[in-house]
Amino acid sequence: MALREAAGLLPLLLLLGLAGSAVRAGQVPLLAWSSHSSLWSPLAAPHEGHVVTETQLAALLDSALNNGPHNVLLLLQDKLSVEDFTAYGGVFGNKPDSAFPNLENALAAAPSSLVLPSVDWFAASAVPAFLKAKLGIAPLHVDQNTLQELRLNASLPALLLVRLPYTTGSSLMAPKEVLTSNDEILGQVLSALQSEDIPYTAILTALRPSRVARDVSDLAPEKVGRQLLQKDETLSPLQYPKTGTPKMLFWATNFSVAIDNTVHDLTSLTFGNNTSVDVDGSKSAPDASLLEMKYANIGGSSLTIRFHIRNLFYNVSARHWFSLYLVQLIVGGSPPVNFTATQITAPSNYSFSCARVSSYPASSEALLVPSGNQQWRVLMTDFQIQCYNVTGLRFSYASDCAGFFSPGIWMGLLTSLLLVAIFTYGLHMVMSLKTMDRFDDPKGPTISVPQTE
């Protein structure tokens, strides 16, 4: 019987089913042990990284209830994650420091046990409804006050439910103290069961994870985690024209524009094999070129970005140099927003590269200076462009925007010069010291030192 079918009528589970994908992606641990042996085979435990689903969990619990005792103890914690065992469990044999001594002893002494590190929390939260449907009885809530009055019969099924709290206080010790208290409650309940010599099966799990990692698989499935034998994929540069022999190349690992703190990432729309950007409005000429990129829908309206490039001959270097001198953003039919580009220049047979090109002065080597007071911002990381002498889809040798003397080099040189100056001055002072060339003889006449010496 599937867990969702058993809990299908519960409004709580229906609300949980409507939770966001980021929360649904969480998992909770489930630990089970029994006084009967051979309830779970060693192969029942999943391999590392596997998330146990509803159907798989239902099959494991159904097998235990069919072959094992019908006195079931369900320890249901509000929140729990496998990271709690890592953070607060005894490590490297340091058992006194563990927050779970009773749980560890119970698992070690049980004839059969099952440890599931990752169970879909939606499936784990339906365990009470599944046990209720399987045993045909309502759960009996047990606390410290009713332990002394607890009487069980081995021939009659019983479902004992113990609710355990959890806290996420700001103090690092607060969760450990609560987990230690929960473990003491676990020890008291197990002692009461063992005193009556009643066979039982115990299950410890949680309603929700205490630590949830955001699920971004729907946002960027190709960038989440690393798979076996995975290769690093680099998006191909943008070329003009898109078909035929390229005349201009443009590439960046991050190409974004922002307005009023709303960032629009254009990277996936610009670079790669199947992109939606339109570059048909671009032009390539020996003295001046234009790279125009049109996006159909960015923030609810069309966006056009233009790179204006000129190519001039300089007699001093006896070669042509191209420079990107203007960047324009056009939103819909609004007037263009202009950014004056500085330091983006290279020989025509080279490409130009820079770690960061943006309109944020504190974070870029090559600046895009906005004209006037406007809210648009541009950011390009690992920027590279080539407008002339393009051969294939590979950039030529890059002229980098970083100068030969970086701020770190200047700081090192000035500090070294200061230390050398101090050392030279000290050495000069030591070498200027003079000792006495005449000494007083106690048996002879007193030395007279003229005032003129």
Side-chain angles (χ1 to χ4, degrees):
M1 177 185 298
L3 294 182
R4 184 175 292 175
E5 296 175 356
L9 300 179
L10 294 179
L12 175 61
L13 296 181
L14 291 178
L15 292 176
L16 293 176
L18 296 177
S21 60
V23 178
R24 184 177 288 237
Q27 298 92 36
V28 298
L30 186 143
L31 297 87
W33 64 96
S34 178
S35 57
H36 279 207
S37 60
S38 303
L39 287 187
W40 299 283
S41 64
L43 299 178
H47 58 81
E48 291 79 358
H50 176 72
V51 179
V52 179
T53 61
E54 301 174 40
T55 305
Q56 295 169 343
L57 181 58
L60 293 172
L61 296 181
D62 190 70
S63 174
L65 296 176
N66 291 335
N67 303 324
H70 285 182
N71 290 303
V72 179
L73 172 62
L74 177 59
L75 301 149
L76 196 60
Q77 191 155 303
D78 292 339
K79 295 181 180 180
L80 186 66
S81 295
V82 70
E83 289 81 6
D84 293 321
F85 293 98
T86 304
Y88 308 116
V91 295
F92 303 113
N94 189 11
K95 295 300 182 182
D97 191 51
S98 174
F100 313 98
N102 294 313
L103 177 60
E104 294 173 359
N105 294 333
L107 290 173
S112 60
S113 61
L114 177 66
V115 178
L116 303 176
S118 299
V119 178
D120 183 9
W121 75 268
F122 185 61
S125 62
V127 170
F130 172 78
L131 296 177
K132 177 181 178 181
K134 182 66 179 179
L135 298 176
I137 56 174
L140 175 62
H141 293 266
V142 180
D143 53 24
Q144 292 176 316
N145 298 326
T146 59
L147 278 177
Q148 302 299 330
E149 303 175 0
L150 185 62
R151 297 294 181 269
L152 298 177
N153 190 337
S155 60
L156 298 177
L159 176 57
L160 306 180
L161 178 59
V162 180
R163 295 295 299 268
L164 303 175
Y166 184 85
T167 182
T168 56
S170 58
S171 173
L172 294 178
M173 293 301 296
K176 183 177 181 179
E177 293 174 358
V178 174
L179 293 174
T180 302
S181 177
N182 293 344
D183 187 76
E184 294 175 355
I185 298 175
L186 168 65
Q188 296 174 6
V189 175
L190 294 181
S191 298
L193 291 177
Q194 293 172 0
S195 63
E196 296 189 13
D197 196 20
I198 297 296
Y200 69 94
T201 298
I203 302 173
L204 171 64
T205 188
L207 292 175
R208 301 185 68 177
S210 59
R211 310 180 189 193
V212 180
R214 184 187 177 194
D215 184 12
V216 295
S217 58
D218 295 335
L219 301 179
E222 72 280 0
K223 298 182 181 179
V224 178
R226 291 187 64 86
Q227 306 296 329
L228 185 63
L229 300 180
Q230 177 182 346
K231 296 181 179 179
D232 293 332
E233 296 184 0
T234 302
L235 298 177
S236 59
L238 175 67
Q239 69 175 65
Y240 167 76
K242 281 194 171 183
T243 59
T245 303
K247 298 179 181 179
M248 287 187 286
L249 295 178
F250 167 50
W251 185 78
T253 57
N254 180 20
F255 183 28
S256 305
V257 296
I259 181 172
D260 296 331
N261 296 325
T262 301
V263 180
H264 303 284
D265 190 357
L266 308 178
T267 307
S268 59
L269 302 177
T270 307
F271 310 109
N273 296 325
N274 299 317
T275 58
S276 58
V277 62
D278 182 11
V279 295
D280 292 338
S282 303
K283 300 177 182 179
S284 179
D287 56 346
S289 298
L290 172 66
L291 179 59
E292 183 179 83
M293 296 166 283
K294 293 183 178 180
Y295 304 89
N297 186 8
I298 302 297
S301 60
S302 61
L303 174 64
T304 301
I305 301 178
R306 293 174 179 172
F307 289 172
H308 293 266
I309 302 108
R310 59 191 172 198
N311 187 33
L312 301 177
F313 182 82
Y314 292 88
N315 295 325
V316 176
S317 60
R319 65 169 62 182
H320 283 84
W321 289 66
F322 79 90
S323 59
L324 171 61
Y325 65 94
L326 181 64
V327 176
Q328 288 184 323
L329 274 65
I330 304 174
V331 182
S334 303
V337 178
N338 298 326
F339 294 87
T340 302
T342 61
Q343 307 176 23
I344 305 181
T345 182
S348 297
N349 56 335
Y350 286 4
S351 64
F352 174 84
S353 67
C354 195
R356 292 175 67 89
V357 175
S358 75
S359 56
Y360 301 91
S363 62
S364 61
E365 291 84 359
L367 302 182
L368 300 178
V369 182
S371 58
N373 185 15
Q374 43 85 15
Q375 301 300 322
W376 280 97
R377 293 291 183 267
V378 181
L379 172 63
M380 293 176 283
T381 306
D382 295 331
F383 171 83
Q384 190 166 6
I385 189 171
Q386 184 173 354
C387 304
Y388 299 96
N389 300 312
V390 178
T391 56
L393 290 177
R394 297 181 63 88
F395 287 96
S396 300
Y397 179 82
S399 174
D400 199 87
C401 64
F404 181 77
F405 288 99
S406 63
I409 294 177
W410 279 115
M411 293 173 61
L413 288 175
L414 293 178
T415 304
S416 301
L417 291 176
L418 178 62
L419 293 176
V420 170
I422 295 175
F423 174 78
T424 304
Y425 177 77
L427 183 61
H428 174 73
M429 294 298 295
V430 171
M431 296 178 64
S432 299
L433 294 177
K434 295 183 178 180
T435 60
M436 295 179 59
D437 55 353
R438 287 180 289 179
F439 300 92
D440 189 12
D441 187 2
K443 297 181 180 181
T446 304
I447 298 177
S448 178
V449 179
Q451 296 296 327
T452 57
E453 292 188 5

